Amino acid sequence: MTAHAGRAIGARTRLVGLIGWPVAHSRSPAIHNAAFAALGLDWCYVPLPVPPGLAGAAVAGLAALGLAGANVTVPHKQAVLPYLIGRSDEVGVLGAANTLVVRDEAGQPAVYGHNTDHAGFVRALADAGIDAAGCRAVVLGAGGAARAVVYGLLQAGAAAVSVLNRSPERAEALVAELGGGHDSLTAGPLEAGFLGRQADQADLLINATTIGMEPAAGASPWPDELPLPRRMAVFDLVYQPRRTRLLAQAEAAGALAVGGLGMLVHQAALAFELWTGERAPLEAMWQAAAADE
Ligand code: NDP
């Protein structure tokens, strides 16, 4: 059931959606439609399945069909970039857009790109009582999510960030691209001995790999034989399942354990605010995000 059930969708309804492939599994429609309902906004959010190779047509379609904007997910976050009229600074740095806003410019629709992942991550950290300023962080992974996390940590003033990845050359490339002016940003392999030494120095561990995500929910990036330091907070970006094996390991060690749902909600809230200009109703969005659990 959608938040629009029982309400008329008419000529004034503003439409936004999610461009991706696949999109059927996404929680974004539920989160955004709950937010529109909570504020009584005549808006509707729909999944927009766009096959690979059609990102440009999708961006042109948003403008032509009068949508107010869209979220963008795999595999189009990079592919949409050449088709945008403009983009925020962080889209340039991250090389990816997760939110598109259609603006009216002298009667013509113009599509702009934004990225709300890094700010969503930092807000979720703050919600959990973790201050990124001055923290010493170990980031696992070097894909798109890791890139947003590292950028968010550097923007928030982290003292040191170590990026560990199964393919170390990807971690090195990420550090080379984001590391200008940050001597404290380093790269290495995601291997037990190295991870243990990095974790000994860290007060925050972030999993930005897909390890532990359904359907392989029994896996963890933290090796069983390695003691997990109690003073190290653990933030797992994976939100399906909500309680990952890594979070269970952290809890068993007595460490603070934070799941990825908060980041999902906050990046959605920031997109919502870009589209509507209204303050996002976080509680309604949280409830919708957690509803399937
Ligand atoms: P990518 O596909 O871009 O990157 C995947 C990363 O996981 C790579 O670093 C890859 O290493 C690593 N990896 C995958 N499988 C293994 C394995 N078996 N062993 C070791 N490393 C592995 O994915 P994203 O960056 O887009 O997403 C990463 C995770 O973050 C996903 O679970 C996603 O759901 C989550 N996420 C959560 C968000 C939230 O709001 N909570 C927002 C965005 C993402 P390699 O380079 O060696 O292949």
Side-chain angles (χ1 to χ4, degrees):
M1 190 169 78
T2 74
H4 253 278
R7 291 204 286 137
I9 292 177
R12 290 176 192 277
T13 306
R14 300 304 318 273
L15 196 62
V16 283
L18 174 64
I19 294 172
W21 188 267
V23 286
H25 65 287
S26 172
R27 295 188 183 189
S28 292
I31 294 171
H32 283 284
N33 286 322
F36 297 143
L39 296 191
L41 297 178
D42 186 9
W43 285 60
C44 184
Y45 187 111
V46 291
L48 299 168
V50 174
L54 292 181
V59 172
L62 285 184
L65 294 169
L67 273 78
N71 283 133
V72 188
T73 188
V74 176
H76 300 307
K77 281 185 174 188
Q78 292 85 24
V80 295
L81 299 188
Y83 306 100
L84 306 177
I85 293 284
R87 57 200 198 183
S88 60
D89 290 346
E90 67 272 12
V91 171
V93 176
L94 297 172
N98 77 337
T99 303
L100 305 181
V101 178
V102 185
R103 290 194 210 150
D104 182 282
E105 291 185 350
Q108 292 296 316
V111 184
Y112 286 81
H114 298 262
N115 198 310
T116 65
D117 277 338
H118 68 289
F121 165 69
V122 174
R123 287 186 182 197
L125 274 186
D127 273 359
I130 300 168
D131 188 359
C135 83
R136 303 179 69 83
V138 174
V139 177
L140 310 182
R147 181 174 280 258
V149 162
V150 170
Y151 182 64
L153 288 168
L154 294 176
Q155 290 286 304
V161 181
S162 177
V163 184
L164 277 51
N165 198 45
R166 173 177 64 179
S167 320
E169 64 280 5
R170 284 190 79 196
E172 281 154 22
L174 189 161
V175 164
E177 283 173 45
L178 294 185
H182 296 282
D183 294 342
S184 50
L185 178 60
T186 55
L190 179 46
E191 163 268 305
F194 192 77
L195 173 57
R197 288 193 293 282
Q198 297 297 308
D200 277 344
Q201 315 289 322
D203 35 40
L204 176 61
L205 175 81
I206 297 137
N207 177 35
T209 73
T210 51
I211 304 173
M213 199 169 103
E214 279 166 6
S220 168
W222 189 269
D224 279 327
E225 66 276 15
L226 197 61
L228 195 147
R230 183 167 191 263
R231 72 183 143 64
M232 186 177 72
V234 174
F235 190 110
D236 197 342
L237 260 63
V238 173
Y239 53 85
Q240 270 171 327
R242 192 160 171 188
R243 187 168 183 269
T244 60
R245 174 128 183 276
L246 173 62
L247 294 181
Q249 288 170 303
E251 282 168 11
L256 176 64
V258 186
L261 216 55
M263 177 176 171
L264 183 73
V265 168
H266 278 293
Q267 62 79 27
L270 289 159
F272 178 96
E273 290 173 1
L274 282 169
W275 296 324
T276 66
E278 303 279 347
R279 198 178 175 86
L282 284 172
E283 186 52 40
M285 297 175 95
W286 258 108
Q287 283 179 16
D292 293 345
E293 297 294 324

